[in-house]
Amino acid sequence: MNEAIKQKSEYCLNCKLKPCKNKGCPLENDIPEFIKQVKENNLEKAYEILCKTTVLPAICGRICPHEKQCQGSCIRGIKGEPVSIGELEAYVGDYAIEHNLKIEKQIDEKLKNKKVAIVGGGPAGLTCSAFLAKCGIDVTIYERYDFLGGLLSYGIPDFRLPREVIKNSIQKILDLGINVKYNQKLGENLKLEDLTKTYDAVFLAFGANIPIKLNVQGENLKGVFGANELLEKKNHPNYNGKIVFVNGGGNVAIDAARTMKKMGAEKVIVTYRRSREQMPAEKKEIEDAIKEKIEFLYQNNIVKINGTEKVESIELIKTKLIQKEGETRLSPVNIEGSNYVLNADYVVMALGSKTEENINKLGLELTPRQYIKIEENFRTSNEKVFAGGDLAGEKKTVAWAAQNGREAAKEIIKYISK
Ligand SMILES: Cc1cc2nc3c(=O)[nH]c(=O)nc-3n(C[C@H](O)[C@H](O)[C@H](O)COP(=O)(O)OP(=O)(O)OC[C@H]3O[C@@H](n4cnc5c(N)ncnc54)[C@H](O)[C@@H]3O)c2cc1C
Ligand code: SF4
């Protein structure tokens, strides 16, 4: 085994309380136990342990926000550096791919004649499919594109998550015997009522990737884009020699900024209304962006985009941070009279995402913010239809989407076993 990996596994204390697992990891992966197996060079066993709770170790090991999740809860991190849990997980996931290790099945004979439809082949849909197929259930994924992976494939850029890792991880899941129907879009050539008639249960996992607007003057000018759409549809303009402003403070903003810089933009400036310490993006991503010469304008709000047909400049206003009653973090407030104008060619909004507008045509109850309303058991207002992942509007990360998929699979099994 790689000496560095061996040393990293030996650094784990195998704590009794396992805060990395119980508090940090959304999937509750048995982190100390899989690391113990890595330490003993038993990588097949380490993979088997991970497979009890996840089918995406090579992916989550690379792109989970570890500093906020498992590594953020690691006891070792109190006085020094936390255990490199992500790196160790990715190592085991890669080993499983290289050595063609299988996700173990535990067929339940009672479930063999049951059929479940999954709508959407992102992390939530893939994980739900895997945990159902493991038990012998006949699973069919309906996906609007001609490829699977969702935001893993068309959101997170390949310099953070290599396409080969996604392809191989998905193949391992499909090897469980899952059927896939491509180019099937719910609400267009696929109807929910047809699925509920044909299948014993349906799991909806079609995500929420429509960019949220800032609602400022000039936002409809040519040259203003939504980061999610730009990354998903890859219909980038020519960035060569251009000045690009990216508005937002999360991973999507940093991914968009780094992508545009790599595609030749002269200057990429991330504007964020709060301070650097408050930025939700991973520290490592911010550091990498700084190394790549991306600039940051903290405590600035865009108030107007100027231009006749296309973007020519943006008007910004500085903010100060104040403690508002009932708020857990400092809130930005515009400093009157601090407005200034900077030249710009493109403005990219990375302010979060929402569901598609026609979601209300599914006939399911929605939340006030237009997400699909689900109960604790992932059930929607239609008893045969379950849902999870980004479309439910909760914590939007891969691990949480996968956790929803896995837990929904358990609830679906309970429902169809009745
Ligand atoms: C740029 C970017 C970077 C990110 N970086 C990270 C990161 O580093 N770490 C992290 O944990 N999270 C990250 N995220 C968030 C993460 O990718 C999502 O939370 C996660 O992918 C949500 O999974 P999901 O399965 O719910 O939805 P999605 O991944 O959106 O998958 C939905 C699937 O449903 C399909 N679909 C959509 N509509 C229909 C329809 N009508 N009919 C049939 N199929 C449909 C889609 O094509 C897709 O395959 C990032 C997101 C973005 C946009
Ligand atoms: S908290 Fe850190 S040291 Fe303790 S078991 Fe988890 S990874 Fe190991």
Side-chain angles (χ1 to χ4, degrees):
M1 194 198 344
N2 175 324
E3 190 51 35
I5 288 292
K6 189 165 180 308
Q7 279 178 14
K8 284 177 180 172
S9 64
E10 284 166 354
Y11 185 56
C12 171
L13 300 167
N14 203 343
C15 310
K16 239 189 182 163
L17 288 176
K18 309 182 184 196
C20 50
K21 166 184 189 272
N22 298 326
K23 255 176 62 193
C25 177
L27 284 153
E28 292 186 64
N29 290 339
D30 198 341
I31 292 165
E33 205 41 49
F34 100 76
I35 294 181
K36 181 166 168 263
Q37 298 301 330
V38 175
K39 204 183 313 183
E40 291 167 9
N41 199 17
N42 195 351
L43 296 174
E44 296 197 7
K45 186 75 190 160
Y47 182 62
E48 197 187 305
I49 291 165
L50 280 170
C51 278
K52 289 188 182 152
T53 45
T54 177
V55 287
L56 303 170
I59 291 171
C60 285
R62 285 179 167 84
I63 53 88
C64 271
H66 301 110
E67 64 195 43
K68 294 197 193 101
Q69 296 180 345
C70 55
Q71 292 179 192
S73 303
C74 173
I75 297 285
R76 279 286 199 188
I78 298 173
K79 285 196 182 152
E81 286 300 310
V83 174
S84 309
I85 302 169
E87 198 181 332
L88 292 167
E89 186 185 5
Y91 186 79
V92 175
D94 289 353
Y95 179 90
I97 290 170
E98 276 159 36
H99 293 80
N100 201 20
L101 303 185
K102 302 272 177 233
I103 302 170
E104 220 180 291
K105 276 190 162 189
Q106 279 184 326
I107 307 277
D108 181 339
E109 290 300 324
K110 292 194 301 294
L111 296 170
K112 270 179 94 174
N113 59 351
K114 300 290 183 187
K115 295 197 305 183
V116 178
I118 311 284
V119 182
L126 286 167
T127 305
C128 186
S129 308
F131 278 87
L132 293 170
K134 269 182 181 199
C135 306
I137 295 167
D138 184 354
V139 180
T140 304
I141 301 177
Y142 289 82
E143 165 58 48
R144 69 174 160 170
Y145 288 145
D146 59 0
F147 60 89
L148 295 171
L151 287 169
L152 302 173
S153 301
Y154 56 70
I156 304 175
D158 55 2
F159 54 81
R160 285 210 292 125
L161 182 59
R163 300 298 99 160
E164 223 23 47
V165 172
I166 305 169
K167 193 178 123 219
N168 290 328
S169 301
I170 292 175
Q171 192 52 52
K172 220 169 249 318
I173 293 170
L174 296 184
D175 286 347
L176 287 163
I178 292 160
N179 315 300
V180 188
K181 291 196 191 286
Y182 293 104
N183 303 312
Q184 301 286 313
K185 184 165 183 193
L186 189 69
E188 283 183 13
N189 57 350
L190 182 66
K191 285 198 183 125
L192 186 56
E193 64 205 70
D194 291 342
L195 294 177
T196 50
K197 270 185 215 147
T198 317
Y199 291 89
D200 295 296
V202 178
F203 179 61
L204 300 180
F206 51 74
N209 201 34
I210 305 296
I212 291 174
K213 287 198 160 190
L214 183 62
N215 290 326
V216 292
Q217 195 183 322
E219 208 166 353
N220 292 328
L221 285 169
K222 207 168 155 215
V224 182
F225 303 97
N228 304 60
E229 257 174 358
L230 210 50
L231 293 172
E232 176 179 336
K233 303 202 168 117
K234 297 191 173 55
N235 51 356
H236 292 274
N238 182 357
Y239 297 114
N240 278 323
K242 303 289 188 196
I243 303 171
V244 186
F245 282 86
V246 179
N247 192 29
N251 274 338
V252 179
I254 307 294
D255 278 348
R258 293 180 70 195
T259 303
M260 283 146 206
K261 187 75 182 166
K262 285 176 201 294
M263 289 178 78
E266 170 79 21
K267 237 176 182 285
V268 180
I269 304 148
V270 176
T271 57
Y272 180 52
R273 60 200 182 120
R274 291 187 159 90
S275 66
R276 174 168 175 178
E277 296 68 45
Q278 292 175 298
M279 253 187 152
E282 287 283 279
K283 263 196 215 132
K284 186 182 169 302
E285 302 310 325
I286 301 172
E287 282 158 15
D288 286 348
I290 292 169
K291 278 189 213 143
E292 291 164 14
K293 306 256 181 305
I294 284 158
E295 296 169 37
F296 286 82
L297 268 180
Y298 302 106
Q299 290 186 233
N300 270 273
N301 253 327
I302 296 181
V303 284
K304 198 172 153 201
I305 304 170
N306 303 312
T308 36
E309 262 181 44
K310 60 180 189 55
V311 176
E312 286 165 17
S313 64
I314 58 168
E315 185 175 325
L316 295 135
I317 191 164
K318 293 187 178 164
T319 68
K320 61 180 173 196
L321 299 170
I322 59 159
Q323 186 67 59
K324 282 191 182 164
E325 223 183 280
E327 297 278 333
T328 48
R329 58 180 184 163
L330 295 174
S331 302
V333 176
N334 291 345
I335 303 172
E336 258 185 60
S338 67
N339 304 45
Y340 62 108
V341 174
L342 293 174
N343 287 341
D345 295 300
Y346 301 125
V347 181
V348 179
M349 298 296 176
L351 302 164
S353 57
K354 55 182 187 173
T355 52
E356 291 197 21
E357 266 171 26
N358 63 2
I359 195 168
N360 52 10
K361 297 202 178 114
L362 289 175
L364 299 172
E365 204 175 321
L366 303 178
T367 68
R369 294 177 59 216
Q370 298 293 103
Y371 291 101
I372 293 197
K373 189 167 177 222
I374 51 170
E375 304 298 326
E376 256 174 41
N377 58 7
F378 298 93
R379 184 146 331 149
T380 66
S381 52
N382 178 331
E383 69 150 6
K384 238 183 167 182
V385 181
F386 297 73
D390 278 8
L391 59 64
E394 295 279 311
K395 308 153 189 164
K396 292 179 178 170
T397 67
V398 171
W400 277 110
Q403 187 269 2
N404 278 198
R406 184 193 69 201
E407 293 304 301
K410 290 183 193 162
E411 296 296 335
I412 291 170
I413 290 171
K414 271 192 223 160
Y415 170 68
I416 60 181
S417 304
K418 275 187 204 155

